[in-house]
Amino acid sequence: MLFIKRLRPAYFVLFAGFISYVLIISVFSFLFRHIPTRNIFDLQFEYGPLIKNIVTLNIYASPGGHFTGHRLPFIPLFLSLIAIINNDIIFAYVVKNLIFYSMTFIAMRFWWIQETGISKQLKLAVVAFVALFPPLVFWGTSPDADEGYIIHLLATLSITLFYFDRMKLRRKWIMIVLLGFLNAFLYLTKSSMLLPSATICFLFWLKSAKLKVFSAFLAIFLSSLIFWGLMNLKHSGTFAITTSLDGWNLYKGNNELTLSLYPPYHLDILDMEKLLPFKRPTGMNEWEFNAAARSKAIEFAKTNPMDEIRLIGRRLFIFFFEVRRNPLYRGETQFESPVYWASAIWMTFFRLILFGSMIGGVKCISRYIRGSTTRLSRHAINTIIYFLILASFAVPCIAGFVYERHLMPLVIPTVIYFLSIAYPVLRSPAQVNRQ
């Protein structure tokens, strides 16, 4: 009771506002789904059937057992726990988002307290921009899109990295271990997060300058690799730390039909309409199929170098410049709804922030190089952190394919970096040089 009495009324308002926000965006995002979804077993991206087999048959496999390593385990196991309690889709939305939006809320609150260089009005503008960003909200709330988890994990890890030197806790090592597990969950969510997750281990070493911190992150990260590898070994007889659909996804982004569809349309059309000429031969196991599809993609790139260069150019354009969505169905336009027009406006602002971050980051690093000191400033270290996160995130996208939703996990790290580091560099060079 004494604890409750000490709480300020503003905290109750903040808490109530947060809960209301999460409930509202969860319901609206569900209503905005393209495909009707009755329960968790109906979820898309092959999660629904996998979760159904986990819950009802206690097997980690797609229907018919054709795939056992096609999805990393964090999302299906997490949603399976929810399905055991209640299989209702709205329940899944609410529980998932209360957990993961709480992580982002705590990280943003930490940034709000630690960042003293900008006004409260500007901080409020940042919170409003993030909270009302249409595709960020839609994908951030989605229980069956990888980005529904990556957005929150990467936001928490990146903000903690930027302000790790200001973290003053009595039990700091508990927080370090917790962050290490969040980094492992980042990898266990999507195979393309292997490189960012490994990079984050190094970045916590760079930020803390302590081998113990790096060792903790590395040990937890390597444990997650071994965990997934042993799962694959048990289910398919192959030790693998990626998924058995990685080769297929690489092939979708690099084949003779890709140029005719991408970027006006989402490449899942190739799957939905069964257009790809290469099919899984009878009797070929999932890992042989994965290797064969990867070989087909590499073969296409080698035999069609000019087409491959065009595809890389298109992927670079979408990653750094595009503000429109990629329609999923034939005949669908990029502006089917007023929400998509609003999304384009938000994406335009995000692009401006992204460019400002890169320009400010380059200036920050160039000033350090021209300076007389050999010790990295806080701004320079945070710039290296941001650029390495951006680069590690971009590599898989540029190699395969990228859409609007793939970029959403970069929104919060980019906005925080821009206002906290790049913006001061562009605004007040003399002040930054002293930091």
Side-chain angles (χ1 to χ4, degrees):
M1 292 297 295
L2 181 61
F3 171 75
I4 294 175
K5 288 180 180 179
R6 288 180 178 178
L7 286 177
R8 299 176 184 176
Y11 289 152
F12 285 106
V13 174
L14 185 64
F15 178 74
F18 169 73
I19 297 297
S20 300
Y21 168 76
V22 172
L23 293 177
I24 290 170
I25 62 174
S26 295
V27 172
F28 271 90
S29 295
F30 167 72
L31 295 175
F32 202 72
R33 290 179 71 96
H34 282 281
I35 298 177
T37 309
R38 297 164 299 174
N39 54 49
I40 296 175
F41 296 162
D42 289 336
L43 289 174
Q44 295 175 262
F45 303 108
E46 302 172 12
Y47 284 118
L50 174 59
I51 295 166
K52 184 177 182 179
N53 278 351
I54 293 172
V55 174
T56 61
L57 302 176
N58 196 30
I59 58 172
Y60 195 95
S62 64
H66 298 297
F67 291 96
T68 61
H70 58 310
R71 286 297 179 192
L72 279 154
F74 179 75
I75 296 177
L77 294 180
F78 173 78
L79 292 175
S80 294
L81 291 175
I82 297 178
I84 291 171
I85 300 170
N86 191 324
N87 197 20
D88 182 73
I89 187 62
I90 294 294
F91 180 76
Y93 262 89
V94 171
V95 172
K96 176 262 175 187
N97 289 323
L98 284 175
I99 293 172
F100 282 88
Y101 268 89
S102 292
M103 288 171 41
T104 303
F105 174 82
I106 293 170
M108 293 293 289
R109 177 68 178 166
F110 179 61
W111 163 75
W112 182 290
I113 294 171
Q114 296 300 327
E115 183 50 62
T116 57
I118 57 179
S119 66
K120 287 186 178 180
Q121 291 79 5
L122 191 52
K123 289 178 181 177
L124 282 172
V126 170
V127 172
F129 178 78
V130 170
L132 301 176
F133 198 143
L136 184 66
V137 169
F138 178 76
W139 296 113
T141 55
S142 175
D144 52 353
D146 307 326
E147 288 71 24
Y149 305 82
I150 297 172
I151 286 169
H152 307 286
L153 292 168
L154 193 62
T156 303
L157 289 164
S158 60
I159 290 174
T160 308
L161 270 168
F162 291 147
Y163 295 93
F164 188 79
D165 51 327
R166 298 182 181 179
M167 186 185 296
K168 296 179 181 179
L169 299 172
R170 291 181 180 179
R171 295 181 178 89
K172 193 171 184 177
W173 274 99
I174 295 177
M175 181 60 68
I176 290 171
V177 171
L178 178 60
L179 290 169
F181 275 102
L182 293 183
N183 186 50
F185 294 156
L186 178 67
Y187 153 67
L188 291 173
T189 298
K190 190 174 186 178
S191 58
S192 63
M193 292 298 103
L194 174 61
L195 182 56
S197 189
T199 302
I200 286 171
C201 292
F202 166 76
L203 293 179
F204 270 99
W205 185 15
L206 173 68
K207 187 68 175 185
S208 67
K210 292 182 179 179
L211 186 59
K212 289 182 179 179
V213 174
F214 173 67
S215 299
F217 272 86
L218 186 63
I220 296 171
F221 173 63
L222 291 177
S223 297
S224 68
L225 295 180
I226 294 171
F227 170 71
W228 176 237
L230 291 177
M231 277 189 65
N232 282 322
L233 184 64
K234 176 184 177 181
H235 295 145
S236 66
T238 299
F239 185 91
I241 61 173
T242 56
T243 73
S244 56
L245 286 181
D246 286 348
W248 180 252
N249 286 325
L250 184 66
Y251 176 56
K252 280 202 302 185
N254 299 272
N255 67 81
E256 52 268 38
L257 296 177
T258 306
L259 275 170
S260 63
L261 288 172
Y262 182 79
Y265 290 106
H266 199 290
L267 288 177
D268 280 356
I269 287 177
L270 294 171
D271 282 327
M272 292 186 295
E273 299 184 4
K274 303 184 184 303
L275 295 175
L276 288 169
F278 176 64
K279 305 290 191 298
R280 182 179 179 178
T282 304
M284 178 179 283
N285 70 41
E286 62 183 303
W287 295 106
E288 292 171 339
F289 174 61
N290 179 63
R294 183 185 295 111
S295 297
K296 288 287 184 182
I298 295 172
E299 180 184 350
F300 169 79
K302 288 181 177 178
T303 55
N304 302 274
M306 294 307 300
D307 286 344
E308 185 63 24
I309 290 172
R310 292 189 187 96
L311 283 171
I312 292 173
R314 293 182 182 185
R315 293 191 284 260
L316 285 169
F317 177 81
I318 292 175
F319 193 93
F320 289 104
F321 298 97
E322 182 64 89
V323 298
R324 301 164 298 178
R325 59 187 286 269
N326 296 91
L328 181 58
Y329 306 104
R330 287 188 188 273
E332 191 179 16
T333 67
Q334 292 165 318
F335 298 105
E336 289 282 315
S337 161
V339 175
Y340 297 142
W341 283 101
S343 298
I345 294 172
W346 255 264
M347 281 295 291
T348 301
F349 279 104
F350 169 63
R351 292 306 187 189
L352 294 174
I353 294 170
L354 176 63
F355 298 149
S357 296
M358 292 190 291
I359 294 170
V362 170
K363 286 188 175 182
C364 181
I365 295 298
S366 64
R367 284 170 189 155
Y368 163 73
I369 294 173
R370 294 196 307 267
S372 56
T373 179
T374 57
R375 185 174 178 272
L376 284 170
S377 67
R378 180 176 178 273
H379 277 72
I381 291 174
N382 283 345
T383 297
I384 293 171
I385 288 170
Y386 175 71
F387 277 176
L388 287 180
I389 289 176
L390 182 65
S392 64
F393 205 90
V395 168
C397 294
I398 305 306
F401 50 84
V402 58
Y403 309 122
E404 175 192 72
R405 71 179 176 90
H406 296 133
L407 299 170
M408 291 302 102
L410 292 174
V411 170
I412 295 177
T414 299
V415 171
I416 297 301
Y417 170 78
F418 174 74
L419 285 176
S420 302
I421 292 92
Y423 176 66
V425 169
L426 295 171
R427 183 190 61 179
S428 181
Q431 181 182 355
V432 171
N433 287 336
R434 293 194 295 269
Q435 298 192 31

mmCIF file with all atom_site columns, all heavy atoms in Angstrom, residues 280-291:
data_model
loop_
_atom_site.group_PDB
_atom_site.id
_atom_site.type_symbol
_atom_site.label_atom_id
_atom_site.label_alt_id
_atom_site.label_comp_id
_atom_site.label_asym_id
_atom_site.label_entity_id
_atom_site.label_seq_id
_atom_site.pdbx_PDB_ins_code
_atom_site.Cartn_x
_atom_site.Cartn_y
_atom_site.Cartn_z
_atom_site.occupancy
_atom_site.B_iso_or_equiv
_atom_site.pdbx_formal_charge
_atom_site.auth_seq_id
_atom_site.auth_comp_id
_atom_site.auth_asym_id
_atom_site.auth_atom_id
_atom_site.pdbx_PDB_model_num
ATOM 1   N N   . ARG A 1 280 ? 10.545 -28.642 -55.990 1.00 0.00 ? 280 ARG A N   1
ATOM 2   C CA  . ARG A 1 280 ? 11.221 -29.626 -55.140 1.00 0.00 ? 280 ARG A CA  1
ATOM 3   C C   . ARG A 1 280 ? 11.027 -31.020 -55.718 1.00 0.00 ? 280 ARG A C   1
ATOM 4   O O   . ARG A 1 280 ? 9.902  -31.527 -55.762 1.00 0.00 ? 280 ARG A O   1
ATOM 5   C CB  . ARG A 1 280 ? 10.665 -29.557 -53.718 1.00 0.00 ? 280 ARG A CB  1
ATOM 6   C CG  . ARG A 1 280 ? 11.337 -30.522 -52.737 1.00 0.00 ? 280 ARG A CG  1
ATOM 7   C CD  . ARG A 1 280 ? 10.733 -30.355 -51.349 1.00 0.00 ? 280 ARG A CD  1
ATOM 8   N NE  . ARG A 1 280 ? 11.315 -31.272 -50.395 1.00 0.00 ? 280 ARG A NE  1
ATOM 9   C CZ  . ARG A 1 280 ? 10.997 -31.321 -49.110 1.00 0.00 ? 280 ARG A CZ  1
ATOM 10  N NH1 . ARG A 1 280 ? 10.067 -30.488 -48.633 1.00 0.00 ? 280 ARG A NH1 1
ATOM 11  N NH2 . ARG A 1 280 ? 11.557 -32.192 -48.297 1.00 0.00 ? 280 ARG A NH2 1
ATOM 12  N N   . PRO A 1 281 ? 12.099 -31.664 -56.171 1.00 0.00 ? 281 PRO A N   1
ATOM 13  C CA  . PRO A 1 281 ? 11.969 -33.012 -56.740 1.00 0.00 ? 281 PRO A CA  1
ATOM 14  C C   . PRO A 1 281 ? 11.495 -34.021 -55.697 1.00 0.00 ? 281 PRO A C   1
ATOM 15  O O   . PRO A 1 281 ? 11.783 -33.891 -54.505 1.00 0.00 ? 281 PRO A O   1
ATOM 16  C CB  . PRO A 1 281 ? 13.398 -33.339 -57.206 1.00 0.00 ? 281 PRO A CB  1
ATOM 17  C CG  . PRO A 1 281 ? 14.068 -32.012 -57.330 1.00 0.00 ? 281 PRO A CG  1
ATOM 18  C CD  . PRO A 1 281 ? 13.470 -31.149 -56.273 1.00 0.00 ? 281 PRO A CD  1
ATOM 19  N N   . THR A 1 282 ? 10.771 -35.010 -56.135 1.00 0.00 ? 282 THR A N   1
ATOM 20  C CA  . THR A 1 282 ? 10.282 -36.060 -55.244 1.00 0.00 ? 282 THR A CA  1
ATOM 21  C C   . THR A 1 282 ? 11.453 -36.787 -54.594 1.00 0.00 ? 282 THR A C   1
ATOM 22  O O   . THR A 1 282 ? 12.425 -37.162 -55.267 1.00 0.00 ? 282 THR A O   1
ATOM 23  C CB  . THR A 1 282 ? 9.419  -37.066 -56.024 1.00 0.00 ? 282 THR A CB  1
ATOM 24  O OG1 . THR A 1 282 ? 8.361  -36.371 -56.672 1.00 0.00 ? 282 THR A OG1 1
ATOM 25  C CG2 . THR A 1 282 ? 8.840  -38.127 -55.090 1.00 0.00 ? 282 THR A CG2 1
ATOM 26  N N   . GLY A 1 283 ? 11.368 -36.972 -53.298 1.00 0.00 ? 283 GLY A N   1
ATOM 27  C CA  . GLY A 1 283 ? 12.417 -37.694 -52.587 1.00 0.00 ? 283 GLY A CA  1
ATOM 28  C C   . GLY A 1 283 ? 13.547 -36.825 -52.079 1.00 0.00 ? 283 GLY A C   1
ATOM 29  O O   . GLY A 1 283 ? 14.409 -37.307 -51.328 1.00 0.00 ? 283 GLY A O   1
ATOM 30  N N   . MET A 1 284 ? 13.586 -35.551 -52.464 1.00 0.00 ? 284 MET A N   1
ATOM 31  C CA  . MET A 1 284 ? 14.650 -34.649 -52.005 1.00 0.00 ? 284 MET A CA  1
ATOM 32  C C   . MET A 1 284 ? 14.269 -34.103 -50.635 1.00 0.00 ? 284 MET A C   1
ATOM 33  O O   . MET A 1 284 ? 13.178 -33.549 -50.462 1.00 0.00 ? 284 MET A O   1
ATOM 34  C CB  . MET A 1 284 ? 14.844 -33.504 -53.012 1.00 0.00 ? 284 MET A CB  1
ATOM 35  C CG  . MET A 1 284 ? 15.908 -32.491 -52.589 1.00 0.00 ? 284 MET A CG  1
ATOM 36  S SD  . MET A 1 284 ? 16.135 -31.166 -53.817 1.00 0.00 ? 284 MET A SD  1
ATOM 37  C CE  . MET A 1 284 ? 17.100 -32.015 -55.066 1.00 0.00 ? 284 MET A CE  1
ATOM 38  N N   . ASN A 1 285 ? 15.154 -34.263 -49.643 1.00 0.00 ? 285 ASN A N   1
ATOM 39  C CA  . ASN A 1 285 ? 14.820 -33.756 -48.313 1.00 0.00 ? 285 ASN A CA  1
ATOM 40  C C   . ASN A 1 285 ? 14.943 -32.239 -48.263 1.00 0.00 ? 285 ASN A C   1
ATOM 41  O O   . ASN A 1 285 ? 15.433 -31.610 -49.199 1.00 0.00 ? 285 ASN A O   1
ATOM 42  C CB  . ASN A 1 285 ? 15.677 -34.434 -47.235 1.00 0.00 ? 285 ASN A CB  1
ATOM 43  C CG  . ASN A 1 285 ? 17.136 -34.016 -47.281 1.00 0.00 ? 285 ASN A CG  1
ATOM 44  O OD1 . ASN A 1 285 ? 17.482 -32.845 -47.491 1.00 0.00 ? 285 ASN A OD1 1
ATOM 45  N ND2 . ASN A 1 285 ? 18.034 -34.974 -47.078 1.00 0.00 ? 285 ASN A ND2 1
ATOM 46  N N   . GLU A 1 286 ? 14.497 -31.652 -47.169 1.00 0.00 ? 286 GLU A N   1
ATOM 47  C CA  . GLU A 1 286 ? 14.394 -30.188 -47.101 1.00 0.00 ? 286 GLU A CA  1
ATOM 48  C C   . GLU A 1 286 ? 15.738 -29.488 -47.197 1.00 0.00 ? 286 GLU A C   1
ATOM 49  O O   . GLU A 1 286 ? 15.835 -28.393 -47.765 1.00 0.00 ? 286 GLU A O   1
ATOM 50  C CB  . GLU A 1 286 ? 13.667 -29.769 -45.831 1.00 0.00 ? 286 GLU A CB  1
ATOM 51  C CG  . GLU A 1 286 ? 14.345 -30.151 -44.540 1.00 0.00 ? 286 GLU A CG  1
ATOM 52  C CD  . GLU A 1 286 ? 13.526 -29.752 -43.317 1.00 0.00 ? 286 GLU A CD  1
ATOM 53  O OE1 . GLU A 1 286 ? 13.202 -28.560 -43.172 1.00 0.00 ? 286 GLU A OE1 1
ATOM 54  O OE2 . GLU A 1 286 ? 13.214 -30.650 -42.497 1.00 0.00 ? 286 GLU A OE2 1
ATOM 55  N N   . TRP A 1 287 ? 16.795 -30.093 -46.667 1.00 0.00 ? 287 TRP A N   1
ATOM 56  C CA  . TRP A 1 287 ? 18.104 -29.432 -46.708 1.00 0.00 ? 287 TRP A CA  1
ATOM 57  C C   . TRP A 1 287 ? 18.755 -29.585 -48.075 1.00 0.00 ? 287 TRP A C   1
ATOM 58  O O   . TRP A 1 287 ? 19.477 -28.685 -48.522 1.00 0.00 ? 287 TRP A O   1
ATOM 59  C CB  . TRP A 1 287 ? 19.000 -29.976 -45.603 1.00 0.00 ? 287 TRP A CB  1
ATOM 60  C CG  . TRP A 1 287 ? 18.450 -29.631 -44.249 1.00 0.00 ? 287 TRP A CG  1
ATOM 61  C CD1 . TRP A 1 287 ? 17.824 -30.467 -43.370 1.00 0.00 ? 287 TRP A CD1 1
ATOM 62  C CD2 . TRP A 1 287 ? 18.421 -28.328 -43.655 1.00 0.00 ? 287 TRP A CD2 1
ATOM 63  N NE1 . TRP A 1 287 ? 17.416 -29.773 -42.267 1.00 0.00 ? 287 TRP A NE1 1
ATOM 64  C CE2 . TRP A 1 287 ? 17.768 -28.464 -42.401 1.00 0.00 ? 287 TRP A CE2 1
ATOM 65  C CE3 . TRP A 1 287 ? 18.872 -27.068 -44.046 1.00 0.00 ? 287 TRP A CE3 1
ATOM 66  C CZ2 . TRP A 1 287 ? 17.575 -27.381 -41.541 1.00 0.00 ? 287 TRP A CZ2 1
ATOM 67  C CZ3 . TRP A 1 287 ? 18.673 -26.001 -43.191 1.00 0.00 ? 287 TRP A CZ3 1
ATOM 68  C CH2 . TRP A 1 287 ? 18.036 -26.150 -41.962 1.00 0.00 ? 287 TRP A CH2 1
ATOM 69  N N   . GLU A 1 288 ? 18.501 -30.697 -48.758 1.00 0.00 ? 288 GLU A N   1
ATOM 70  C CA  . GLU A 1 288 ? 18.956 -30.844 -50.139 1.00 0.00 ? 288 GLU A CA  1
ATOM 71  C C   . GLU A 1 288 ? 18.214 -29.858 -51.039 1.00 0.00 ? 288 GLU A C   1
ATOM 72  O O   . GLU A 1 288 ? 18.813 -29.252 -51.935 1.00 0.00 ? 288 GLU A O   1
ATOM 73  C CB  . GLU A 1 288 ? 18.709 -32.281 -50.615 1.00 0.00 ? 288 GLU A CB  1
ATOM 74  C CG  . GLU A 1 288 ? 19.573 -33.319 -49.926 1.00 0.00 ? 288 GLU A CG  1
ATOM 75  C CD  . GLU A 1 288 ? 19.160 -34.737 -50.268 1.00 0.00 ? 288 GLU A CD  1
ATOM 76  O OE1 . GLU A 1 288 ? 17.998 -34.929 -50.687 1.00 0.00 ? 288 GLU A OE1 1
ATOM 77  O OE2 . GLU A 1 288 ? 19.989 -35.652 -50.111 1.00 0.00 ? 288 GLU A OE2 1
ATOM 78  N N   . PHE A 1 289 ? 16.923 -29.698 -50.786 1.00 0.00 ? 289 PHE A N   1
ATOM 79  C CA  . PHE A 1 289 ? 16.131 -28.718 -51.532 1.00 0.00 ? 289 PHE A CA  1
ATOM 80  C C   . PHE A 1 289 ? 16.636 -27.301 -51.270 1.00 0.00 ? 289 PHE A C   1
ATOM 81  O O   . PHE A 1 289 ? 16.731 -26.484 -52.194 1.00 0.00 ? 289 PHE A O   1
ATOM 82  C CB  . PHE A 1 289 ? 14.662 -28.851 -51.120 1.00 0.00 ? 289 PHE A CB  1
ATOM 83  C CG  . PHE A 1 289 ? 13.761 -27.804 -51.698 1.00 0.00 ? 289 PHE A CG  1
ATOM 84  C CD1 . PHE A 1 289 ? 13.599 -27.673 -53.070 1.00 0.00 ? 289 PHE A CD1 1
ATOM 85  C CD2 . PHE A 1 289 ? 13.059 -26.939 -50.873 1.00 0.00 ? 289 PHE A CD2 1
ATOM 86  C CE1 . PHE A 1 289 ? 12.753 -26.709 -53.602 1.00 0.00 ? 289 PHE A CE1 1
ATOM 87  C CE2 . PHE A 1 289 ? 12.221 -25.979 -51.391 1.00 0.00 ? 289 PHE A CE2 1
ATOM 88  C CZ  . PHE A 1 289 ? 12.066 -25.864 -52.760 1.00 0.00 ? 289 PHE A CZ  1
ATOM 89  N N   . ASN A 1 290 ? 16.972 -27.003 -50.035 1.00 0.00 ? 290 ASN A N   1
ATOM 90  C CA  . ASN A 1 290 ? 17.509 -25.696 -49.667 1.00 0.00 ? 290 ASN A CA  1
ATOM 91  C C   . ASN A 1 290 ? 18.804 -25.416 -50.431 1.00 0.00 ? 290 ASN A C   1
ATOM 92  O O   . ASN A 1 290 ? 18.991 -24.325 -50.998 1.00 0.00 ? 290 ASN A O   1
ATOM 93  C CB  . ASN A 1 290 ? 17.768 -25.659 -48.158 1.00 0.00 ? 290 ASN A CB  1
ATOM 94  C CG  . ASN A 1 290 ? 18.341 -24.336 -47.690 1.00 0.00 ? 290 ASN A CG  1
ATOM 95  O OD1 . ASN A 1 290 ? 17.715 -23.296 -47.790 1.00 0.00 ? 290 ASN A OD1 1
ATOM 96  N ND2 . ASN A 1 290 ? 19.562 -24.377 -47.183 1.00 0.00 ? 290 ASN A ND2 1
ATOM 97  N N   . ALA A 1 291 ? 19.696 -26.396 -50.453 1.00 0.00 ? 291 ALA A N   1
ATOM 98  C CA  . ALA A 1 291 ? 20.977 -26.237 -51.158 1.00 0.00 ? 291 ALA A CA  1
ATOM 99  C C   . ALA A 1 291 ? 20.768 -26.112 -52.661 1.00 0.00 ? 291 ALA A C   1
ATOM 100 O O   . ALA A 1 291 ? 21.436 -25.308 -53.333 1.00 0.00 ? 291 ALA A O   1
ATOM 101 C CB  . ALA A 1 291 ? 21.890 -27.422 -50.847 1.00 0.00 ? 291 ALA A CB  1
#
